[in-house]
């Protein structure tokens, strides 16, 4: 990921905390393309990252900044992957880390957080309650709170996914659409920010057609899809969020306005799929590509199947879907 350091908030000579994040494989999937009725389709597999999700990119950047700024430690509320990534990068930086997780978080996730030496605090209630506890702890101790979109650096790491796509496509002829499984919005916002920067800085020609950004959510928690349909500029909280794709179980995304703006600017779209469609498509990615897909990736494929019939792209389209994490984290 640090090959793009010229575009990232780091000064010459500052140490980079790195354990092999980024430059994830982009695998073409002809069978999935044919089924979706598009010309070509690729899966970008973020499950290959350290700690098995794209969260590694953002937490890598945030911990690098925290270390450079000489902060006493880092903390985060988590439903899973952000906590594991923070714990690993804090360990690599030799910084103290504290992670707040709901007591109901799957045991293997809690085990991973502890295994990296982070101090784990279990919270009664949901991720919002963990968020409040984290904020109180950060205020008291001066630890850096790296909760989703509460600080500026995680997005700067996430945007390397956009740079990688541009480089993979030869800095021209970018894909027609990118389908991203969206919860809090950091991944989607980061990728769109990358495309803006590449145009501004001349890394991409001014007249390069940019991909349509497409948000994939679960029918049981789809505040961004609902807001997009209503042409609203912000989302209202989703009551009773329910989906096994835990990365998408974000009822009140903090990045709602920026995500909706990216959809508008890119002439993108937002769709939701139900739980059985998510399960079936998670299996389709794994069983046709050999990629250990997470349910969030399955949601993205389910939405890719809708793009032609919904009029977002034509049959000649080239589409990239993101598998944001590894399926292994969900099998226990
Ligand atoms: C966090 C997460 C998401 C959602 O990402 P946002 O940047 O919050 O939209 C999707 N998939 C997985 C596997 C995640 O861990």
């Amino acid at each position: 990921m640090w090959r793009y350091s010229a575009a990232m908030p780091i000064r010459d000579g500052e140490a980079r905390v790195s354990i092999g994040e980024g430059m994830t494989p982009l695998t073409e999937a002809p069978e999935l393309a044919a089924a979706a009725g598009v010309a070509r389709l690729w899966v970008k597999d973020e499950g290959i990252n350290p700690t098995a999700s794209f969260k590694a990119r953002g937490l890598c950047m945030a911990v690098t900044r925290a270390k450079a700024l000489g902060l006493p430690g880092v903390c985060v509320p988590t439903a899973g992957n952000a906590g594991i990534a923070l714990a690993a990068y804090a360990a690599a930086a030799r910084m103290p880390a504290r992670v707040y997780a709901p007591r109901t978080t799957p045991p293997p996730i809690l085990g991973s957080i502890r295994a990296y030496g982070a101090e784990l605090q279990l919270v009664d209630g949901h991720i919002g309650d963990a968020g409040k506890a984290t904020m109180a702890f950060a205020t008291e101790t001066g630890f850096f709170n790296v909760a989703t979109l509460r600080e500026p650096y995680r997005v700067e790491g996430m945007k390397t996914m956009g740079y990688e796509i541009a480089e993979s496509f030869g800095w021209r002829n970018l894909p027609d659409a990118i389908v991203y499984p969206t919860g809090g919005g950091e991944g989607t916002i980061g990728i769109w920010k990358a495309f803006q920067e590449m145009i501004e800085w001349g890394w991409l020609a001014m007249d390069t057609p940019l991909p349509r950004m497409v948000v994939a959510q679960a029918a049981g928690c789809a505040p961004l899809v609902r807001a997009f349909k209503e042409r609203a500029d912000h989302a209202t909280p989703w009551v009773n969020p329910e989906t096994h794709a835990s990365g998408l179980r974000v009822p009140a995304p903090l990045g709602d306005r920026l995500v909706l703006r990216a959809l508008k600017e890119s002439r993108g779209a937002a769709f939701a799929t139900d739980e059985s469609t998510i399960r079936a498509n998670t299996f389709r990615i794994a069983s046709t590509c050999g990629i250990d897909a997470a349910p969030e990736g399955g949601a993205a494929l389910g939405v890719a199947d809708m793009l032609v019939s919904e009029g977002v792209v034509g049959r000649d389209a080239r589409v990239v879907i993101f598998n944001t994490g590894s399926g292994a984290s969900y099998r226990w």
Side-chain angles (χ1 to χ4, degrees):
M1 151 176 136
W2 291 102
R3 69 197 277 101
Y4 308 111
S5 59
M8 293 160 75
I10 186 156
R11 294 198 188 90
D12 287 345
E14 270 177 354
R16 297 152 192 201
V17 181
S18 179
I19 48 176
E21 54 291 330
M23 229 19 151
T24 53
L26 183 69
T27 303
E28 184 155 14
E31 242 179 87
L32 300 181
V38 297
R40 299 180 76 177
L41 187 148
W42 293 262
V43 181
K44 189 152 172 74
D45 185 14
E46 292 293 309
I48 294 297
N49 276 301
T51 71
S53 82
F54 78 104
K55 294 289 196 308
R57 298 174 186 265
L59 276 312
C60 173
M61 186 71 247
V63 170
T64 292
R65 285 310 314 149
K67 182 80 176 172
L69 293 166
L71 299 175
V74 284
C75 55
V76 77
T78 191
N81 286 330
I84 302 178
L86 179 72
Y89 282 93
R94 306 303 297 127
M95 288 183 84
R98 186 182 280 219
V99 176
Y100 288 85
R103 206 171 287 283
T104 52
T105 306
I109 291 179
L110 300 177
S112 294
I113 294 167
R114 285 196 192 96
Y116 288 116
E119 197 188 330
L120 179 63
Q121 297 282 319
L122 295 178
V123 176
D124 292 314
H126 52 75
I127 179 80
D129 301 303
K132 280 179 205 151
T134 308
M135 227 182 273
F137 175 74
T139 307
E140 191 185 300
T141 58
F143 272 42
F144 190 37
N145 180 1
V146 296
T148 304
L149 294 166
R150 295 264 177 211
E151 50 68 53
Y153 302 125
R154 279 175 56 172
V155 165
E156 298 297 304
M158 297 310 188
K159 77 185 185 186
T160 55
M161 292 187 286
Y163 286 101
E164 281 175 29
I165 297 251
E167 183 166 1
S168 299
F169 284 83
W171 308 100
R172 68 184 83 223
N173 296 324
L174 301 186
D176 298 285
I178 294 175
V179 185
Y180 203 92
T182 306
E186 209 165 65
T188 312
I189 293 164
I191 293 171
W192 188 240
K193 183 171 196 277
F195 290 130
Q196 311 300 305
E197 290 175 350
M198 286 185 276
I199 295 278
E200 195 178 318
W201 298 340
W203 294 21
L204 289 172
M206 282 272 264
D207 57 357
T208 310
L210 296 183
R212 290 173 196 262
M213 298 298 297
V214 179
V215 157
Q217 294 204 294
C221 181
L224 295 166
V225 173
R226 181 172 64 192
F228 179 77
K229 272 198 192 129
E230 292 169 352
R231 296 172 195 275
D233 69 349
H234 68 282
T236 48
W238 192 270
V239 182
N240 296 330
E242 259 177 61
T243 172
H244 74 289
S246 49
L248 307 184
R249 209 187 300 130
V250 184
L254 207 52
D256 57 344
R257 288 170 190 272
L258 293 174
V259 171
L260 292 164
R261 201 206 289 171
L263 298 186
K264 197 170 170 184
E265 288 175 357
S266 71
R267 296 178 303 133
F271 302 104
T273 53
D274 62 27
E275 295 298 290
S276 62
T277 307
I278 292 174
R279 280 181 214 282
N281 285 302
T282 306
F283 183 69
R284 280 176 70 217
I285 298 175
S287 62
T288 65
C289 304
I291 289 170
D292 184 18
E296 292 83 355
L301 179 58
V303 166
D305 285 338
M306 300 162 71
L307 293 180
V308 171
S309 63
E310 293 286 343
V312 179
V313 299
R315 297 200 151 271
D316 57 347
R318 295 143 65 246
V319 175
V320 170
I321 68 169
F322 271 83
N323 176 51
T324 42
S326 150
S329 326
Y330 297 80
R331 288 190 292 270
W332 54 283

